[in-house]
Amino acid sequence: MTDTKLVTAAARSDEASRRGGAGGSGWFGDVLVGVDGSPTGRDAIALGDALRDPSGRLTLVHVLLSQGPSYRNFHATPAWANARRMLERESEASGIVAELTGMASASVGGGLHQLAEDCGADLLVVGSCSRGSVAAGSAAMTHTGP
């Protein structure tokens, strides 16, 4: 198993060298990372952090599937308390400091899209699921800015 802190540091160093210093126009300012508590979520966290401008914001998010009406004040619910604990564990395990948020939604994709808009994210990164055609342990990204 790779140490995501080392992978992230190496990726930033390599990228900074290619761009002639820290930062640069190719980095993303506000990066949103979808996390579900699985190992692929940690891959997504490492990728999101590696692509984030050093002065940018990294936000870890969790979308809770909700069949009924969504909670208007989701952050005051026991479901959010559980999701927040999971996000804190994943952030700590990755060695990365990030903002944390989440929401309840009828679909994970719809919730991630809404959170990306609400947070003004430039990039959305998610880990692959074990049911997908992408190999486990990878992460995907979507540029949300202009």
Side-chain angles (χ1 to χ4, degrees), residues 6-123:
L6 294 175
V7 170
T8 300
R12 278 187 188 241
S13 176
D14 290 348
E15 190 62 22
S17 295
R18 281 196 293 273
R19 293 173 197 263
S25 61
W27 294 63
F28 295 94
D30 292 328
V31 177
L32 195 76
V33 181
V35 179
D36 64 359
S38 72
T40 61
R42 289 189 190 150
D43 292 338
I45 293 169
L47 178 61
D49 191 50
L51 295 173
R52 178 182 55 89
D53 185 282
S55 64
R57 180 179 60 175
L58 183 69
T59 305
L60 306 185
V61 302
H62 181 73
V63 176
L64 179 71
L65 286 176
S66 172
Q67 297 302 324
S70 296
Y71 299 106
R72 182 154 180 82
N73 191 6
F74 176 70
H75 289 96
T77 67
W80 167 243
N82 291 335
R84 183 173 181 84
R85 281 192 294 276
M86 180 271 297
L87 290 171
E88 289 169 344
R89 280 191 309 271
E90 294 302 307
S91 177
E92 185 177 320
S94 299
I96 295 171
V97 176
E99 294 181 21
L100 310 174
T101 193
M103 71 178 292
S105 178
S107 78
V108 173
L112 289 170
H113 179 87
Q114 184 64 52
L115 285 167
E117 284 186 1
D118 291 350
C119 293
D122 300 315
L123 180 71

